[in-house]
C-alpha cells in the first residue's frame, strides 16, 4: 500500500505569488521554479502577442499539427508489409529459457548487459542492485541503495562501473571492485539530480557521461566526474519513462518516450527536440533504435509497439494483435533488426517479425509482469526481468 | 454494500486501458448469439443459470482471436485473475481450468474499473458478514485483516456490524440461487482487491505517474520548424530495412544461429572465445561485417587496428588518430576538456604539427577561431570532415585492398559443435574474469569494448 504514495506532491510557497499552494515545477530559461497552478497559467500567457490568448495558442498548435500530419502523409506511398511481401517468411521459432537468475527479493525493474556479452546488472524494488555473470548464474556484486524502486540501471562501457537510481531522484555511479575490504557503497558517486523519480539512465560512449530521464519531465546529460549538468532537454509534457542513444556515425542524438504519449528525438549538443511523434494512445514505456539508426520502435500501455522512421518522419508499422490486451513494458531488436522482442504486463513476451508485421512467437514463463527486456550485445540471447523476482535469459 | 468511492486522483481508468479491453472481451463473450455457450449449472440442489465451462471459454477465445489453446488459456486465466470471470464451485482460487469446471461472468457492479480502489469500510463489512454468518469461516489472513480493521475503524464499528446484519437479513429474503451467486461475486471481488498472501496482486501499479503542462509556445515553434523539414519517400526508407535485414540476417544469432554454437544453448563459450575483441584469427563473418559500413569497421577494435595499418601504408594514419582524439574529447571528462583541446591542437592542427591533418581551409579557419573558447564540441566540424574523408576515400580503397582481401580469404568458418546428447555428463560452465578486474588500458577507450578477459589493450 505504501508504495502508492510516492507521487511528489510539493506543497509550499509559490515562487511568484508566495501563497501557500500545491506547486508544480516550471522552467524559465533553464532555471527551475515552483509555481502554483494559477501562476503557471499566467506564465503561459506571458510573451504572447496582442491577439494571442491561451485558447488561440491551443488552436494554432492544433492547426499546425494537422498541417504537419498532411505533409508527412504526402510522401507515404507504400506500407511496410506490402514492401515486405517478397521477403522470405521466418521459420518456426523455438526459444526457451536458458538461464533463470534468482536472487532478488522483490520485483526486478531494470537490467542492462555488459559489453562482455555475459554479465548483467539488475535492480529491484527493494533497493538491491546485483551484478551477475549470467552465463554461470553467479552473483558477482551486490549493492543496496538507500531508496526503494530502483527503476533504472546501466552498465558502463568499460565494464568497470554501474549506474542506478529511482525514487531517490538521483543517478549514482558505483565503481565495481573485487576488493573484499572495500565497501562498494563507500565509493558511490552521486551524479544526477532530478526533482522526481529517475526512470532511465544510460552511459554514452564512455564511462564519463550519463544520460538520464526522469519523472520530472526532463532528460539530462551529466559529467560523471564532477556531477555537472552538461545539457538538459525540456519538451515532454509529462514523466519521461525511457530513452535510447542513437547508433549513428556522428553519435549526436537520442530518443525519449513519455507519459504524454510522445516520442521525441533530441540533439545532444543543442538540447533541441529535432523530431517528435505522437501516435500512441497511452504512455510510452520503452523506446529502442533499429540497429541501422534510421528508425526506432516504441512499446506502450496501449498494447501496441510501433516503428517510426526518422527519414520519412512518420510511423511506418504497428505491431498489435486483438488478443494482446496488456501494455508493452519493454522492447528490443535482434542484431539484424528482423525480430522485435517485447515484454508485456500480462507476463508474456511476444516476438514480432519487424518487416512483415506479424507475431512470430509468444513466450510464457514469467509469473508476473515483464518489466525489462534487453538483447545481449552480440545478439546471442536476450534477458528479461520481471516482477516475479527473477530474470531469464532466452535463446 | 456501501456506495463505491469516487475515482482516485492520479491514475484512474484512463491510465488502465487494459481494463476497458478486458471488459469488451467479456461483454462479447456474453453475446447471446456469438458468445460462449451458456448453460444452467447444477450445484447440489440449486440450479444456477448462465454458467459456462472452462473448456468452452478456452475454445471460444482460441477461435475468436485465432490463437493457440495455450495462449487462449493464458488470456482466460488473466480474465479470471482480474475477477471478470469467477469459478462457481471453488471461488477461492482464481484459476481457469480448461475442463467442465463451471464459471460465470462477474456483474459490472464489481468490475475493477467501476469500483476501485476498494474501500476499507466495505471490506470490514464483508468480513463482518462472513464472521457473523458462520463463525470460523474467516481464513487466517482474513482474521488478521479483520482484527486490524477493528482497531483502525473502531469508531465506526457499530456501523460496520449494523450494515453487515442488514445485508445478511436482506440476503435471506432472496432465492438460494441468487444468494449463492451474489456471495461468489462478492468473494471474487475481494480476492482480486485483497489477495491472500502469496497470491499475485494483479491491481498493483508502479510508482504514480503524473503530468505537468507542456509549453504550447515550444510546441508551436517545433511544429513550424518541422513543417520545413525534408522528408524521404516511404518506399525508399522501407526498402532500406529490407536490404539491412537481408544483409545482417546471416550474422544474427537469434535468426540464423551461430557457429560453432550458441553459448547459451550449448553451455560452451567457444563462440565468445573465437570472437573476442582481439583474437589472432577473426572469423569470416566478422571480417565480412567490416565491409558493411565504415561505422561497423571502426566499432570493432580488430577492424580498426587493421584499418590503421592500411592507412599507415598510405601515410594517412594521422586522420584516424585525429578522429580518435576528437572522440576522446567529446566523451571525456568535463575537467579534461581544455587539456585535451590543447593536445589535439598541438599534435594535429597547429601549423607544422607533427601529425598535421589535411582539412579544407574554411573548416580549419573556423575551427582555429573557435579554439579560443574550447568546449567539448569545438572540433565537431573538423572531425566530421576527416570522418567523411576516410569514409568516402580511404575506406573503399581498404575494402578493395589486398590486405583486406587477404584477411577475408584467411578467415575461417568454425565447425558446428552439436549439443551433447548425454545429459549426465554435466559440463561446467567456464567463468570469465570480469572486465572490472583488468588494469585500466593505457590507450583511449572511446567507442571501444573492454578486453573481456583476452589480453590487455
Amino acid at each position: 500500500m505504501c508504495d502508492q504514495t510516492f507521487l511528489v506532491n510539493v506543497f509550499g510557497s509559490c515562487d511568484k505569488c508566495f501563497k501557500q499552494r500545491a506547486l508544480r515545477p516550471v522552467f524559465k530559461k533553464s532555471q527551475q521554479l515552483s509555481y502554483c497552478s494559477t501562476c503557471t497559467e499566467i506564465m503561459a500567457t506571458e510573451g504572447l502577442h496582442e491577439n494571442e490568448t491561451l485558447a488561440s495558442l491551443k488552436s494554432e498548435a492544433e492547426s499546425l499539427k494537422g498541417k504537419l500530419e498532411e505533409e508527412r502523409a504526402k510522401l507515404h506511398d507504400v506500407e511496410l508489409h506490402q514492401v515486405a511481401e517478397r521477403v522470405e517468411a521466418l521459420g518456426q521459432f523455438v526459444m526457451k529459457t536458458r538461464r533463470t537468475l534468482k536472487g532478488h527479493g522483490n520485483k526486478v525493474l531494470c537490467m542492462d548487459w555488459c559489453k562482455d556479452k555475459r554479465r548483467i546488472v539488475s535492480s529491484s524494488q527493494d533497493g538491491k542492485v546485483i551484478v551477475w555473470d549470467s552465463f554461470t548464474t553467479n552473483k558477482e556484486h551486490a549493492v543496496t541503495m538507500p531508496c526503494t524502486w530502483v527503476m533504472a540501471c546501466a552498465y558502463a562501457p568499460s565494464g568497470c562501473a554501474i549506474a542506478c537510481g529511482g525514487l531517490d531522484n538521483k543517478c549514482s555511479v558505483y565503481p565495481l571492485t573485487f576488493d573484499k575490504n572495500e565497501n562498494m557503497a563507500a565509493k558511490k558517486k552521486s551524479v544526477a539530480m532530478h526533482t522526481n523519480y529517475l526512470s532511465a539512465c544510460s552511459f554514452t560512449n564512455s564511462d564519463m557521461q550519463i544520460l538520464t530521464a526522469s519523472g520530472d519531465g526532463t532528460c539530462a546529460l551529466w559529467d560523471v566526474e564532477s556531477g555537472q549538468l552538461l545539457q538538459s532537454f525540456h519538451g515532454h509534457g509529462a514523466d519521461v519513462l525511457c530513452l535510447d542513444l542513437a547508433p549513428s556515425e556522428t553519435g549526436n542524438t537520442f530518443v525519449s518516450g513519455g507519459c504524454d504519449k510522445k516520442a521525441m528525438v533530441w540533439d545532444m549538443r543543442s538540447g533541441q527536440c529535432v523530431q517528435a511523434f505522437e501516435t500512441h494512445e497511452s504512455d510510452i514505456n520503452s523506446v529502442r533504435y533499429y540497429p541501422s539508426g534510421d528508425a526506432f520502435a516504441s512499446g506502450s500501455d496501449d498494447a501496441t509497439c510501433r516503428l517510426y522512421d526518422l527519414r520519412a518522419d512518420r510511423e511506418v508499422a504497428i505491431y498489435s494483435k486483438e488478443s494482446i490486451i496488456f501494455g508493452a513494458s519493454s522492447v528490443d531488436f535482434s542484431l539484424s533488426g528482423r525480430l522485435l522482442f517485447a515484454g508485456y504486463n500480462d507476463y508474456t513476451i511476444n516476438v514480432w517479425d519487424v518487416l512483415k508485421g506479424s507475431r512470430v512467437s509468444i513466450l510464457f514463463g514469467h509469473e508476473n509482469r515483464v518489466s525489462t527486456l534487453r538483447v545481449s550485445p552480440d545478439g546471442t540471447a536476450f534477458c528479461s526481468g520481471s516482477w516475479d523476482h527473477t530474470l531469464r535469459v532466452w535463446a | 454494500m456501501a456506495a463505491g468511492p469516487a475515482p482516485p486522483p492520479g491514475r484512474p481508468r484512463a491510465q488502465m486501458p487494459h481494463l476497458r479491453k478486458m471488459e469488451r472481451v467479456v461483454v462479447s463473450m456474453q453475446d447471446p448469439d456469438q458468445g460462449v455457450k451458456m448453460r444452467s449449472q447444477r450445484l447440489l440442489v440449486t440450479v444456477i443459470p448462465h454458467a459456462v465451462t472452462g473448456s468452452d471459454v478456452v475454445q471460444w477465445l482460441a477461435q475468436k482471436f485465432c490463437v493457440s489453446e495455450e495462449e487462449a488459456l493464458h488470456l482466460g486465466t488473466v480474465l479470471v485473475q482480474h475477477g471478470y470471470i469467477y469459478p462457481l464451485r471453488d471461488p477461492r482460487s482464481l484459476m481457469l481450468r480448461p475442463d467442465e469446471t463451471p464459471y460465470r461472468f462477474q456483474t459490472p457492479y464489481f468490475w475493477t474499473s467501476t469500483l476501485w480502489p476498494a474501500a476499507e469500510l466495505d471490506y470490514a463489512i464483508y468480513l463482518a458478514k462472513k464472521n457473523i454468518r458462520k463463525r470460523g469461516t474467516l481464513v487466517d489472513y482474513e482474521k488478521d485483516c479483520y482484527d486490524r480493521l477493528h482497531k483502525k475503524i473502531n469508531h465506526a464499528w457499530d456501523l460496520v456490524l449494523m450494515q453487515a446484519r442488514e445485508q445478511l437479513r436482506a440476503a435471506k429474503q432472496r432465492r438460494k440461487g441468487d444468494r449463492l451467486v451474489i456471495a461468489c461475486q462478492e468473494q471474487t471481488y475481494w480476492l482480486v482487491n485483497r489477495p491472500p498472501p502469496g497470491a499475485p496482486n494483479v491491481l498493483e501499479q508502479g510508482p504514480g505517474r503524473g503530468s505537468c503542462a507542456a509549453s504550447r509556445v515550444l510546441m508551436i515553434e517545433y511544429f513550424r520548424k518541422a513543417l520545413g523539414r525534408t522528408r524521404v519517400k516511404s518506399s525508399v526508407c522501407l526498402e532500406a530495412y529490407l536490404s539491412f535485414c537481408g544483409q545482417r540476417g546471416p550474422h544474427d544469432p537469434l535468426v540464423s544461429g551461430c557457429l560453432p554454437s550458441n553459448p547459451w544453448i550449448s553451455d560452451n563459450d567457444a563462440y565468445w572465445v573465437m570472437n573476442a575483441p582481439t583474437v589472432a584469427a577473426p572469423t569470416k563473418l566478422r571480417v565480412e561485417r567490416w565491409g558493411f559500413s565504415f561505422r561497423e569497421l571502426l566499432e570493432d577494435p580488430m577492424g580498426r587496428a587493421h584499418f590503421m595499418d592500411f592507412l599507415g601504408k598510405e601515410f594517412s594514419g594521422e586522420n584516424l588518430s585525429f578522429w580518435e582524439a576528437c572522440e576522446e574529447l567529446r566523451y571525456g571528462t568535463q575537467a579534461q576538456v581544455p587539456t585535451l583541446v590543447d593536445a589535439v591542437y598541438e599534435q594535429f592542427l597547429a601549423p607544422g604539427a607533427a601529425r598535421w591533418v589535411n582539412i579544407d581551409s574554411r573548416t580549419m579557419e573556423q575551427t582555429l577561431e573557435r579554439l579560443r573558447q574550447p568546449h567539448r564540441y569545438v572540433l565537431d566540424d573538423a572531425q566530421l570532415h576527416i570522418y567523411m574523408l576516410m569514409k568516402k576515400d580511404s575506406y573503399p580503397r581498404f575494402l578493395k585492398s589486398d590486405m583486406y582481401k587477404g584477411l577475408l580469404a584467411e578467415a575461417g568458418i568454425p565447425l558446428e559443435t552439436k549439443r551433447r546428447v548425454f545429459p549426465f555428463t554435466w559440463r561446467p560452465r567456464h567463468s570469465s574474469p570480469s572486465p572490472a578486474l583488468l588494469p585500466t588500458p593505457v590507450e583511449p577507450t572511446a567507442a571501444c569494448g573492454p578486453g573481456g578477459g583476452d589480453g590487455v589493450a
Side-chain angles (χ1 to χ4, degrees), chain A residues 12-21 23 34-39 42:
Chain A
S13 167
C14 170
D15 280 338
K16 183 140 191 215
C17 64
F18 306 111
K19 296 202 182 121
Q20 291 288 321
R21 295 248 167 88
L23 306 174
S34 297
Y35 277 11
C36 66
S37 47
T38 327
C39 292
I42 297 172

Side-chain angles (χ1 to χ4, degrees), chain B residues 253-414:
Chain B
L254 290 173
V255 170
S256 319
C258 59
L259 298 171
S261 65
N262 187 320
W264 302 100
I265 301 178
S266 65
D267 283 354
N268 181 343
D269 63 355
Y271 179 75
W272 287 330
V273 174
M274 281 180 206
N275 286 290
T278 38
V279 99
T283 63
K284 200 172 211 81
L285 280 179
R286 185 173 177 179
V287 181
E288 264 176 36
R289 275 200 291 276
W290 300 343
F292 284 170
S293 75
F294 189 41
R295 171 165 68 92
E296 196 89 46
L297 174 70
L298 288 185
E299 273 177 5
D300 186 342
M302 274 200 80
R304 193 193 284 203
H306 284 295
F307 186 61
M308 182 63 103
D309 282 343
F310 174 76
L311 288 179
K313 293 206 175 92
E314 298 203 328
F315 306 105
S316 51
E318 68 275 0
N319 286 344
L320 185 56
S321 301
F322 175 68
W323 181 84
E324 283 179 340
C326 291
E327 285 286 280
E328 211 192 326
L329 170 68
R330 274 216 292 171
Y331 297 112
T333 320
Q334 187 66 6
Q336 292 276 7
V337 166
T339 336
L340 284 172
V341 170
D342 279 340
V344 169
Y345 175 73
E346 290 299 318
Q347 237 198 340
F348 298 102
L349 297 172
R355 310 191 70 189
W356 191 78
V357 281
N358 197 354
I359 307 176
D360 71 286
S361 47
R362 205 170 127 238
T363 317
M364 181 65 99
E365 249 179 70
Q366 284 176 350
T367 307
L368 292 176
E369 183 62 38
R370 285 197 213 117
L371 281 176
R372 293 172 193 222
Q373 287 173 326
H375 57 89
R376 64 177 61 236
Y377 301 118
V378 78
L379 295 172
D380 270 13
D381 285 346
Q383 184 185 9
L384 186 61
H385 179 90
I386 293 291
Y387 183 85
M388 295 312 266
L389 191 65
M390 290 192 288
K391 177 177 171 180
K392 298 261 160 73
D393 190 39
S394 319
Y395 176 60
R397 273 185 288 127
F398 171 71
L399 293 181
K400 294 198 194 102
S401 70
D402 290 334
M403 182 197 260
Y404 179 68
K405 291 199 177 125
L407 286 167
L408 205 51
E410 272 168 30
I413 303 174

Side-chain angles (χ1 to χ4, degrees), chain A residues 228-386:
Chain A
Q228 187 188 349
L229 172 68
L230 299 174
Q231 184 62 262
S232 67
F233 307 90
H234 302 279
H236 274 288
D239 307 17
V240 186
L241 297 177
C242 50
L243 59 81
D244 191 33
L245 283 151
S248 82
E249 297 183 290
T250 41
N252 269 335
T253 59
F254 73 94
V255 63
S256 66
C259 286
D260 57 355
K261 313 175 198 169
K262 286 209 273 225
M264 302 177 86
V265 181
W266 306 88
D267 176 356
M268 271 167 63
R269 279 187 53 168
S270 62
Q272 298 278 326
C273 166
V274 291
Q275 271 175 294
F277 304 91
E278 195 176 349
T279 60
H280 270 293
E281 292 161 14
S282 189
D283 304 355
I284 297 180
N285 295 315
S286 174
V287 284
R288 195 71 65 205
Y289 271 95
Y290 183 77
S292 73
D294 287 331
F296 67 90
S298 59
S300 156
D301 273 348
D302 66 4
T304 67
C305 298
R306 297 175 195 234
L307 186 67
Y308 297 92
D309 187 292
L310 295 171
R311 297 188 296 163
D313 192 35
R314 59 175 293 118
E315 172 194 290
V316 290
I318 305 183
Y319 306 101
S320 69
K321 212 164 153 37
E322 252 195 298
S323 59
I324 299 175
I325 288 177
F326 282 70
S329 61
S330 194
V331 298
D332 203 354
F333 285 99
S334 71
L335 211 59
S336 63
R338 183 67 195 270
L339 297 174
L340 179 70
F341 301 101
Y344 290 78
N345 290 340
D346 67 353
Y347 321 169
T348 64
I349 295 168
N350 286 291
V351 185
W352 299 91
D353 180 334
V354 171
L355 300 179
K356 291 197 181 279
S358 54
R359 202 259 312 264
V360 167
S361 181
I362 178 169
L363 304 172
F364 299 100
H366 278 296
E367 292 163 10
N368 206 326
R369 308 196 173 183
V370 177
S371 52
T372 177
L373 190 154
R374 298 292 295 262
V375 171
S376 77
D378 64 350
T380 47
F382 71 88
C383 179
S384 60
S386 160

